Amino acid sequence: MLRRLLKEERGMITIEMSVLIPILSVIITATLFLFLFFLDMAAARGEAMRVAGEMAAAWKTGGELATGNYEEKELIDRNVTFLIRSDRRGIVSEAESRLRERIAERLAVTRIEDVGVSIKTFRAKASVTLRFRWPLASAITYMGAAPSFSCTASAPVENREEWLRAREGFK
């Protein structure tokens, strides 16, 4: 009787699949979320590079942050003293809010932890920190802190006016 029970294989596939399907589901779901996390990382890095470039163009031309365009006549008419003493902090705050908005609308499985934008001497920098959101709210108790990603992009601000600004000690 015992031998007959051990040799009988009816229903074995059901038992095997009841073990394999949950494991395969977790592996496929984890792979999908990892792919989406890498997609968010690429979007954040791309937007940081884009905003840093726009900010550098606007800083050195005195133009609009959105396009970096400027009026040729205004650029020619400005004097160097104005360029040394002008306060362009509005560009930094606008760039930071623009970076936050652009990234937020493209994220799938992460949230923005920190956004920073700065211009120092000859470099415009934009940095972003993203944190992965666990798919289930209770996962944080079992999995702990979610992984995060940080990136910094910079663009050169190279022109005569910035050289004079740095030489005179203005920021």
Side-chain angles (χ1 to χ4, degrees):
M1 170 109 165
L2 185 58
R3 274 190 204 167
R4 197 178 80 203
L5 284 176
L6 290 176
K7 285 185 178 183
E8 191 165 326
E9 293 187 15
R10 280 186 295 158
M12 289 301 285
I13 192 76
T14 305
I15 294 171
E16 290 170 0
M17 286 300 122
S18 68
V19 171
L20 284 179
I21 287 180
I23 293 171
L24 289 175
S25 298
V26 167
I27 290 171
I28 291 170
T29 305
T31 304
L32 174 69
F33 275 97
L34 187 64
F35 171 75
L36 291 173
F37 183 62
F38 286 133
L39 198 62
D40 285 355
M41 288 171 30
R45 185 180 306 258
E47 289 302 330
M49 289 177 7
R50 182 175 166 192
V51 167
E54 287 176 1
M55 191 170 51
W59 187 267
K60 63 186 172 186
T61 63
E64 292 287 320
L65 180 61
T67 61
N69 293 335
Y70 58 90
E71 296 291 327
E72 272 185 56
K73 185 167 180 4
E74 286 180 24
L75 188 62
I76 292 170
D77 288 345
R78 291 189 309 185
N79 63 23
V80 176
T81 308
F82 169 75
L83 287 169
I84 291 174
R85 290 192 168 54
S86 68
D87 184 17
R88 296 182 269 187
R89 281 185 234 148
I91 292 175
V92 173
S93 61
E94 187 180 341
E96 189 170 328
S97 66
R98 178 167 295 161
L99 180 61
R100 187 177 294 277
E101 287 171 14
R102 284 182 183 171
I103 292 173
E105 64 190 28
R106 294 182 64 187
L107 296 180
V109 295
T110 56
R111 63 180 165 80
I112 299 173
E113 186 135 307
D114 186 35
V115 171
V117 174
S118 66
I119 294 183
K120 294 194 175 145
T121 316
F122 298 107
R123 286 235 154 305
K125 289 187 179 182
S127 61
V128 179
T129 303
L130 300 177
R131 183 155 307 271
F132 182 74
R133 287 183 294 187
W134 293 116
L136 300 172
S138 61
I140 198 162
T141 57
Y142 301 109
M143 303 296 283
S148 65
F149 166 77
S150 295
C151 73
T152 301
S154 64
V157 179
E158 298 171 356
N159 59 10
R160 183 172 185 270
E161 292 84 6
E162 290 304 320
W163 179 80
L164 285 171
R165 180 185 284 270
R167 185 170 177 245
E168 296 295 323
F170 297 103
K171 291 188 177 183

